[in-house]
Amino acid sequence: MWVFVNDKIVPAQQAVVSAMDHGFLYGIGLFETIRIYQGKPCFWNEHMLRLENGMTDLRIRHKWERSEIYRAVQATLEKNELEDAYVRISVTGGAEGVGLHSGVYEQPSLYIFVKSVTPITEPPIAKRMKVISFPRQTQEGNLRFKSHNYLNCALGKQEIGGAPDIEGLFLTKEGYICEGVVSNVFWVKDNIVYTPSVDTNLLAGITRNAVLTIAHTGGFNVEEGLYPLEELFKADEVFVTNSIQEIVPVSTVENVEVPYVYGKLTQKLHEAYRRLVELSN
């Protein structure tokens, strides 16, 4: 693998981070994961806007224009000979030394990683959902960032293991459905599409937002709120979303079978999402 580091592309073993970088020392860093279709990033502007907003809030200087990052992504894809790919863009605070920093991070670092992805199947391979034994942590500030502070999700992944057909489900400390380890959660009951509210402190994924837009414009009944786990046990359809896997049906929740796996509404939303992807590229 070849990795983009600041202004050059180097072999992965040479892609190093300074021991003084606050992304390493204190988790001052942000990242975006983007799916590439035939060399083109999906929902590029949405991902970049979230990254830029996070940089502003963490007081990381906007050192790169979107066009510069885009060219760096394309160069990294070309070097790795990939057209359909997973891309991770990471920005860290930079080497500010030991001790918390009160000012602007003037010298951030940029890293771009790419790897091949599993093709989207039709129908998608369903996942089994397991509830994580500990609650989702709330955000440390006023907002939830897609940051390098990823311990909650890392511990959740350790708990559920590495099986690709299992997704962990986080509840809030109050017991409300929050989000998956690497996904947002939706379900269907009586032709109404439900998903947890951002009040649960979930990370509002780019794909989540796209699905909500599709559902609203398509005339689906949609509700966001605070829901106990039992709502998933009563659901007709359940699915999860993220930028790499798109829309994935769920077959069981805590060993309770979902009646309709990749049911009619899930299929309609996924078909509409696929059309949106094609239009965006």
Side-chain angles (χ1 to χ4, degrees):
M1 178 192 291
W2 294 82
V3 180
F4 183 93
V5 181
N6 290 322
D7 60 353
K8 57 187 177 181
I9 299 173
V10 300
Q13 61 270 26
Q14 296 178 23
V16 297
V17 178
S18 169
M20 297 299 175
D21 194 306
H22 278 208
F24 167 70
L25 288 172
Y26 304 110
I28 304 297
L30 300 157
F31 73 98
E32 291 292 325
T33 52
I34 304 173
R35 180 141 188 160
I36 306 296
Y37 298 87
Q38 292 297 300
K40 296 180 180 179
C42 189
F43 301 123
W44 173 258
N45 287 328
E46 290 84 351
H47 282 285
M48 287 300 99
L49 179 61
R50 183 168 65 178
L51 180 65
E52 291 160 358
N53 287 342
M55 290 172 66
T56 296
D57 290 335
L58 293 183
R59 304 186 73 185
I60 298 173
R61 182 168 72 88
H62 290 226
K63 188 177 178 181
W64 307 274
E65 299 291 336
R66 286 188 193 183
S67 58
E68 293 178 272
I69 298 177
Y70 184 89
R71 288 194 295 272
V73 167
Q74 293 298 322
T76 309
L77 288 168
E78 182 177 351
K79 186 67 175 179
N80 285 277
E81 300 181 343
L82 292 172
E83 284 193 335
D84 294 289
Y86 162 114
V87 169
R88 171 173 165 143
I89 301 170
S90 288
V91 174
T92 71
E96 293 290 343
V98 177
L100 295 177
H101 183 63
S102 61
V104 175
Y105 285 96
E106 294 286 357
Q107 294 299 323
S109 291
L110 172 65
Y111 303 86
I112 299 172
F113 311 84
V114 301
K115 65 179 183 180
S116 61
V117 289
T118 303
I120 301 298
T121 61
E122 183 62 40
I125 298 172
K127 291 186 180 291
R128 295 173 289 147
M129 185 170 283
K130 301 290 186 182
V131 175
I132 301 297
S133 64
F134 54 92
R136 185 71 182 87
Q137 295 173 359
T138 59
Q139 75 272 21
E140 291 187 299
N142 292 324
L143 297 172
R144 172 85 181 276
F145 301 108
K146 195 171 179 70
S147 77
H148 287 194
N149 292 288
Y150 222 59
L151 185 59
N152 211 207
C153 291
L155 291 173
K157 183 62 176 177
Q158 288 179 357
E159 181 171 308
I160 63 173
D165 67 334
I166 297 179
E167 172 63 322
L169 174 66
F170 281 112
L171 306 178
T172 68
K173 62 183 178 64
E174 296 84 8
Y176 296 125
I177 302 163
C178 184
E179 63 186 353
V181 171
V182 293
S183 65
N184 289 121
V185 182
F186 289 81
W187 63 96
V188 178
K189 181 65 177 176
D190 297 331
N191 290 316
I192 299 174
V193 180
Y194 294 89
T195 196
S197 164
V198 293
D199 292 337
T200 61
N201 295 313
L202 58 77
L203 180 68
I206 301 299
T207 304
R208 174 187 184 272
N209 293 341
V211 169
L212 287 173
T213 298
I214 290 167
H216 285 298
T217 57
F220 293 89
N221 294 316
V222 181
E223 292 189 14
E224 299 178 62
L226 302 176
Y227 305 103
L229 177 62
E230 289 72 21
E231 293 300 310
L232 287 180
F233 297 148
K234 298 184 292 185
D236 298 321
E237 306 172 34
V238 181
F239 62 92
V240 295
T241 64
N242 71 26
S243 292
I244 305 303
Q245 299 177 46
E246 300 184 351
I247 294 174
V248 182
V250 171
S251 59
T252 62
V253 179
E254 286 289 276
N255 297 320
V256 175
E257 293 187 0
V258 176
Y260 302 99
V261 180
Y262 203 51
K264 290 183 178 180
L265 262 68
T266 305
Q267 289 183 47
K268 287 181 179 179
L269 289 168
H270 198 191
E271 289 166 0
Y273 182 85
R274 297 295 302 152
R275 289 194 293 271
L276 187 59
V277 167
E278 291 170 5
L279 287 173
S280 68
N281 289 318

